[in-house]
Amino acid sequence: MKKFLIVTFALAIAFFATACGGNSTHTGDSEPDSEPADGELSNDTDQAEEPAETDEEPSDGPDENTTPENFNPENPGYFVEFIIADINMANQPQTLATGYFMKAAREDLNPHAGVDESTFDTCTFGESVENVPQCTSKADCAPEQDCVPEYDSNSGQAIANSEHCETPGRESLDVGPVMVSGFNGGPYQFAYEPGDQAYKLNGTGDGSIPADMIAYGVDYTITGENMLPDDLDSLSATFTMPPSFAIVEPAPQPNTSGGFGDIINVTPGEPLTLKWAGNNGQGYIDVNFMVMKSLMEQVAITCRMVDDGEFTVPAEFTTEMRLSEADSSNPFGEMLGMMNMITVNRHVEARITGKGITAGTFSAEQMVLYTLGNN
């Protein structure tokens, strides 16, 4: 489902956007408040066979919505997503922080949604890792869902093989303010802004935040207490913001020709080893290489890698990164050269939990653009 904050994020980078192969992963393994300790398994089967005697009616609340199969659309609980976006294009930082709350839906608990870990540390031709459709018609979905595709934020066209089951008619909700710590000078309050129906800093503005608010290598925590609906009480999640992303090998070269970022030179036909300050293997990075052969021909290569600080692009892919020779008689030659780009998108997230929360993610995206060059 195209979430409100994803639309906001896409609008901020629309001109530079490349498909990054998947939305935020929404894992639906929410657990009851009295969860077992790590490494222990609760004996739910035995408890079901011999229920304790009680005068209370059996709970039918959101804590039981732990899988798509046992999801109760009559009492769904809540889904929340909050994202911090740190974008650097041509050394011009753009920073966003925004989120939303909705009544939860069955697709928020889909264990097959989001990023396929089997694609980690691989490369593929195309602007994104290949999609796998989750459905072919409404008959493949639950009664309250429809089978729909994702749509490209630039062209408005349906994305091939992106069909998935989605609950229609969901709306962003105001459930009261939340606090986010980790930012420089924080913590800060984020509140619902009714115009865009999204959570923003102090409930105002366009979702952007000052670039100097972003702190790196520290824990970010989102918390909410005494939320407005009776069936939503609290929430929390913590992730560690990775270092500010920069490729350190090959060493970027200053770009004096007006491209979108410093130059990363590639030797076509030879393996390309990328190195950066990793995040101890937490999260993943998509790197998209866009090679403009002509106005009518382009080659796209996407590599998805574990965020551990090093990855080697095989020679079979760098062979296709041979750039066209500059042609001073071609008025589009300089423009084509500027469009040879490397787009890096780093992702890290944590699962949001709390009383009344069925599923949710608290995440950060770092996007950096480089210009692709040849040795």
Side-chain angles (χ1 to χ4, degrees), residues 19-40:
C20 295
N23 297 323
S24 300
T25 305
H26 308 316
T27 54
D29 48 355
S30 298
E31 298 172 351
D33 293 339
S34 57
E35 58 187 33
D38 290 343
E40 296 181 1

Side-chain angles (χ1 to χ4, degrees), residues 120-121 276 281-285 304-311:
F120 288 177
D121 288 339
W276 65 94
Q282 300 300 308
Y284 64 91
I285 296 174
R304 174 168 289 161
M305 53 201 69
V306 173
D307 195 353
D308 57 7
E310 183 173 337
F311 178 77

Side-chain angles (χ1 to χ4, degrees), residues 134-209:
Q134 301 295 322
C135 59
T136 58
S137 69
K138 182 176 175 60
D140 296 329
C141 304
E144 78 275 13
Q145 295 177 314
D146 294 331
C147 183
V148 296
E150 296 283 6
Y151 289 89
D152 185 272
S153 59
N154 294 318
S155 68
Q157 299 296 311
I159 300 173
N161 298 318
S162 66
E163 290 80 8
H164 60 283
C165 295
E166 181 176 302
T167 303
R170 298 170 74 190
E171 296 181 351
S172 179
L173 304 172
D174 181 0
V175 300
V178 297
M179 300 298 296
V180 179
S181 63
F183 293 113
N184 289 320
Y188 293 94
Q189 177 177 278
F190 287 78
Y192 185 81
E193 193 278 303
D196 291 330
Q197 300 181 357
Y199 272 68
K200 300 176 182 178
L201 180 62
N202 297 319
T204 63
D206 59 2
S208 62
I209 61 174

Side-chain angles (χ1 to χ4, degrees), residues 28-280:
D29 48 355
S30 298
E31 298 172 351
D33 293 339
S34 57
E35 58 187 33
D38 290 343
E40 296 181 1
L41 296 177
S42 61
N43 194 344
D44 294 335
T45 301
D46 292 343
Q47 292 174 2
E49 291 175 353
E50 298 182 11
E53 294 183 5
T54 177
D55 294 332
E56 298 178 0
E57 292 294 325
S59 173
D60 207 19
D63 284 344
E64 294 188 349
N65 291 329
T66 56
T67 67
E69 290 73 25
N70 67 10
F71 180 78
N72 178 9
E74 301 301 319
N75 194 354
Y78 293 86
F79 175 79
V80 55
E81 190 167 52
F82 197 97
I83 187 171
I84 300 167
D86 180 11
I87 308 163
N88 193 337
M89 299 177 290
N91 297 317
Q92 297 295 319
Q94 299 179 41
T95 44
L96 304 167
T98 184
Y100 64 94
F101 286 79
M102 288 181 172
K103 285 288 189 177
R106 193 181 303 267
E107 57 266 26
D108 300 328
L109 297 167
N110 187 352
H112 303 294
V115 176
D116 182 356
E117 293 188 7
S118 69
T119 63
F120 288 177
D121 288 339
T122 64
C123 296
T124 184
F125 288 103
E127 293 184 23
S128 63
V129 177
E130 184 177 359
N131 291 308
V132 178
Q134 301 295 322
C135 59
T136 58
S137 69
K138 182 176 175 60
D140 296 329
C141 304
E144 78 275 13
Q145 295 177 314
D146 294 331
C147 183
V148 296
E150 296 283 6
Y151 289 89
D152 185 272
S153 59
N154 294 318
S155 68
Q157 299 296 311
I159 300 173
N161 298 318
S162 66
E163 290 80 8
H164 60 283
C165 295
E166 181 176 302
T167 303
R170 298 170 74 190
E171 296 181 351
S172 179
L173 304 172
D174 181 0
V175 300
V178 297
M179 300 298 296
V180 179
S181 63
F183 293 113
N184 289 320
Y188 293 94
Q189 177 177 278
F190 287 78
Y192 185 81
E193 193 278 303
D196 291 330
Q197 300 181 357
Y199 272 68
K200 300 176 182 178
L201 180 62
N202 297 319
T204 63
D206 59 2
S208 62
I209 61 174
D212 59 8
M213 272 181 58
I214 301 291
Y216 301 96
V218 300
D219 286 348
Y220 281 67
T221 298
I222 186 171
T223 56
E225 301 291 341
N226 302 316
M227 314 298 281
L228 293 177
D230 292 339
D231 54 347
L232 178 63
D233 181 67
S234 63
L235 64 90
S236 65
T238 299
F239 70 81
T240 301
M241 178 71 78
S244 179
F245 187 88
I247 292 176
V248 297
E249 188 178 315
Q253 303 300 310
N255 190 344
T256 60
S257 62
F260 294 126
D262 292 340
I263 300 171
I264 300 294
N265 285 314
V266 176
T267 302
E270 295 186 8
L272 170 66
T273 297
L274 300 173
K275 294 184 180 181
W276 65 94
N279 192 33
N280 298 315

Side-chain angles (χ1 to χ4, degrees), residues 264-272 289 291 293 301 313-325 372-375:
I264 300 294
N265 285 314
V266 176
T267 302
E270 295 186 8
L272 170 66
F289 300 86
V291 184
K293 300 293 188 182
I301 297 165
V313 181
E316 65 180 290
F317 294 97
T318 66
T319 297
E320 299 300 324
M321 298 182 194
R322 186 176 303 280
L323 306 181
S324 301
E325 296 293 332
L372 175 64
N374 278 173
N375 287 317

